[in-house]
Amino acid sequence: MGNEQSLVGKNLDKRTARREHKSYFLPAVQRAREELLLSAETNDSVGLEGDSGRAMRVYIRKRPIFKHEIDQGEYDVITCVPGQDTHKVVIHDARMHSDMKRMYLDHYSFPFDYVFSEGAENERVYCEAAAPLVSRVFGDGVTATVMMYGQTGSGKTYTMASIQEQAVVDIFQQINVMGAEKYQVGLSYIELAGDKASDLLNDSQPIKLLADKDGSVQPHPKGEIQVSTSEELLALLCSANARRATSATGVHDQSSRSHAVVSITIQKQGSSQPGVLNLVDLAGSEQRIDSANHTSEQQREGAQINISLSALKACVRAKAANASLIPYRKSKLTHLLRSAFSDQNPTCIIATVSPAAKDTEHSVNTLKHACLMDGQGSSVDNGTPSRQNLGGVELGKEWKEKRAAKDAEAQANKSDAERDIDQKIAVLQEEMASGVSKAQQYALKKKIQMLKADAIKIQRKKRSELQDVSNVELEA
């Protein structure tokens, strides 16, 4: 194999290949984005026009790409395309063919009714996604649920923190208008970490989830705290959020390793049942590549998180499809959120995606599941890619010179025994190319393999001797 072939044929993972060939991929992504936006309206988000009676809504929010990601060689591979009725999220998947020379882009297109681009402010997200549900919980016995779903580091907790703050202020503003003396407001905060449940308002004390007479699931002991002002409620939320389980992962330095369920109950005088607002910040989904350097405990956590998310997605899909049976018994998370899957209770899911090229697989997976949760079909029909070939990698003169210098250095450092083996292998290879029989070819291949094994033994011995010398120098 020649120098050029060796260079482009090296085994790169997808994330490394995207960064190393950024100079080819990024202009192609930018051209594709410009073409998509040419005829589109300049609109940051979609409001609630259309079917306002849907019990299940799925929103997509794309976060901005961060400066530290750009410094690391990442680039934006997601385009939000506004339209009159249906809006699209397009992921530009930068790929290499198997020969590691030719490049291409797979453009995954996902249609959604509700999309927020990176330019949408938190206030806009709240007003269009969460505010209508907050107003609904003032009805008798209505449970409204807002869930954040997406990969670790895609902006879930950031968005939910803003929604929590705005929802609390909104609730007390509406109560003050309607008469504060007519309402009582309570707060509970449950954390689900693996198969354990705890009360974050009571020093993370363990609790059990028990079925009530009416079939609803209640935490026991139930640690609901009555509050009278927005400031009091926000202070409790801030204190509880600080207790939530986080740890550094392969994706994020402060990754949420638990599901957090905030429940705000609003009891009106004379009403038999309170209204409930559930604000659910789900733990981030992860893929195998992200957990390669995790401890065994973190890997178990990740597996439990993915199992509970899978159970939740099954329940959401069943609700979106108006199924008669909701499989909520599969996890503690779906047990706790059972009321959210009822037809009369409104639910919205905000799926967050990261625009960085390294997160492409995560973003595609998030949007495919979001399509299902949005009721777009019983199978993943959306997101079929259209392919755009980009041609081959052109190697610069500097890269070729570096590779040649590296090969020359390796050859110069070989011992006489290694050079003797190289010469023997070359003779055997020439003999194989001279048109010998299959039996002779097999025998020659075996001899070459044995010689290569001898060369490896020599290299290992050299490394061991060098290590011994280093250890002696350190002791001295």
Side-chain angles (χ1 to χ4, degrees):
M1 184 179 286
N3 291 341
E4 181 173 342
Q5 288 178 315
S6 299
L7 180 58
V8 298
K10 60 183 179 179
N11 185 21
L12 298 179
D13 64 78
K14 287 177 284 189
R15 294 177 174 179
T16 303
R18 287 170 185 145
R19 288 194 299 269
E20 289 206 357
H21 302 305
K22 176 181 177 179
S23 59
Y24 297 94
F25 286 128
L26 180 56
V29 170
Q30 291 173 334
R31 288 193 298 270
R33 179 174 292 124
E34 290 171 0
E35 292 175 4
L36 286 169
L37 297 176
L38 267 178
S39 59
E41 300 173 358
T42 55
N43 183 18
D44 281 339
S45 63
V46 185
L48 295 178
E49 299 85 8
D51 184 4
S52 59
R54 290 171 59 187
M56 173 69 68
R57 288 196 180 92
V58 177
Y59 299 77
I60 308 299
R61 188 182 194 188
K62 170 193 172 185
R63 72 158 170 81
I65 192 165
F66 300 134
K67 183 180 182 301
H68 73 266
E69 292 175 325
I70 296 174
D71 293 341
Q72 292 168 0
E74 298 298 332
Y75 45 97
D76 186 347
V77 296
I78 296 182
T79 302
C80 296
V81 186
Q84 290 293 337
D85 299 313
T86 302
H87 301 247
K88 292 191 298 183
V89 181
V90 181
I91 299 181
H92 313 283
D93 185 2
R95 295 277 189 138
M96 303 290 293
H97 283 283
S98 57
D99 60 8
M100 297 305 292
K101 296 179 184 179
R102 294 172 297 133
M103 299 168 291
Y104 63 93
L105 288 178
D106 273 345
H107 304 286
Y108 291 86
S109 181
F110 300 89
F112 288 98
D113 294 331
Y114 317 100
V115 174
F116 298 101
S117 74
E118 65 271 30
E121 299 292 338
N122 284 332
E123 292 74 17
R124 190 73 173 274
V125 175
Y126 172 77
C127 289
E128 298 185 3
L133 274 67
V134 172
S135 298
R136 293 283 298 277
V137 298
F138 286 90
D140 189 9
V142 174
T143 297
T145 303
V146 180
M147 299 186 200
M148 298 301 309
Y149 169 74
Q151 77 164 101
T152 296
S154 61
K156 296 187 315 302
T157 301
Y158 169 79
T159 302
M160 179 53 76
S162 172
I163 289 176
Q164 287 177 356
E165 182 177 353
Q166 294 182 78
V168 169
V169 173
D170 194 0
I171 286 171
F172 278 95
Q173 284 180 345
Q174 294 189 48
I175 286 175
N176 290 334
V177 170
M178 293 182 286
E181 69 282 355
K182 300 179 182 178
Y183 294 91
Q184 287 185 334
V185 179
L187 171 69
S188 64
Y189 198 149
I190 307 301
E191 179 183 46
L192 295 173
D195 57 354
K196 299 178 182 178
S198 57
D199 184 355
L200 291 183
L201 295 178
N202 188 21
D203 295 326
S204 299
Q205 290 296 314
I207 59 174
K208 295 181 179 180
L209 302 180
L210 304 177
D212 209 342
K213 292 180 180 179
D214 60 358
S216 63
V217 177
Q218 301 293 340
H220 178 78
K222 188 173 183 178
E224 185 174 272
I225 297 178
Q226 299 298 312
V227 294
S228 56
T229 65
S230 60
E231 292 80 9
E232 185 180 357
L233 204 161
L234 287 172
L236 287 171
L237 282 176
C238 182
S239 175
N241 284 332
R243 297 191 187 99
R244 191 175 171 194
T246 62
S247 66
T249 67
V251 180
H252 195 266
D253 291 337
Q254 289 293 322
S255 174
S256 299
R257 307 303 294 167
S258 64
H259 307 301
V261 181
V262 173
S263 296
I264 302 174
T265 59
I266 302 173
Q267 180 70 60
K268 183 181 179 181
Q269 289 181 0
S271 296
S272 58
Q273 293 290 332
V276 181
L277 175 65
N278 291 323
L279 301 176
V280 185
D281 185 18
L282 299 169
S285 60
E286 294 183 352
Q287 293 186 343
R288 186 176 301 174
I289 189 172
D290 302 317
S291 58
N293 297 320
H294 286 185
T295 64
S296 59
E297 182 178 352
Q298 285 179 316
Q299 289 177 346
R300 283 195 298 270
E301 285 178 353
Q304 291 172 333
I305 288 170
N306 288 338
I307 289 171
S308 60
L309 289 175
S310 178
L312 176 65
K313 287 181 284 191
C315 292
V316 172
R317 289 197 296 267
K319 177 175 180 175
N322 296 317
S324 58
L325 178 64
I326 305 293
Y328 70 91
R329 298 181 185 275
K330 292 185 177 181
S331 79
K332 287 190 174 181
L333 175 64
T334 49
H335 256 98
L336 185 60
L337 297 176
R338 180 183 176 184
S339 59
F341 308 125
S342 174
D343 290 339
Q344 67 268 24
N345 291 329
T347 300
C348 89
I349 296 175
I350 303 176
T352 54
V353 289
S354 163
K358 65 182 174 66
D359 295 325
T360 299
E361 285 73 29
H362 273 301
S363 298
V364 170
N365 189 53
T366 295
L367 293 179
K368 282 186 175 181
H369 285 294
C371 283
L372 289 177
M373 291 188 289
D374 199 29
Q376 295 189 23
S378 58
S379 61
V380 183
D381 298 322
N382 297 301
T384 302
S386 59
R387 180 158 296 184
Q388 175 188 356
N389 288 309
L390 303 180
V393 178
E394 295 180 5
L395 298 175
K397 181 180 178 182
E398 183 180 351
W399 279 65
K400 293 180 182 180
E401 290 176 349
K402 284 183 179 179
R403 181 66 188 197
K406 189 175 180 180
D407 290 343
E409 181 182 358
Q411 189 66 30
N413 291 333
K414 284 186 176 181
S415 64
D416 292 338
E418 288 176 294
R419 292 194 183 94
D420 183 54
I421 289 174
D422 287 345
Q423 290 175 0
K424 290 178 179 178
I425 290 175
V427 171
L428 293 174
Q429 287 175 336
E430 289 179 3
E431 188 175 346
M432 285 180 63
S434 63
V436 296
S437 65
K438 288 186 178 180
Q440 290 174 315
Q441 282 188 351
Y442 178 77
L444 291 170
K445 285 181 180 178
K446 293 291 289 183
K447 289 181 180 179
I448 290 173
Q449 288 174 356
M450 292 176 65
L451 288 169
K452 288 182 177 179
D454 291 339
I456 291 173
K457 290 178 182 178
I458 294 172
Q459 291 169 4
R460 287 176 178 171
K461 185 178 180 182
K462 286 168 63 177
R463 285 196 295 268
S464 177
E465 291 173 350
L466 288 172
Q467 183 64 41
D468 291 342
V469 171
S470 299
N471 291 338
V472 170
E473 290 176 349
L474 287 172
E475 291 174 0

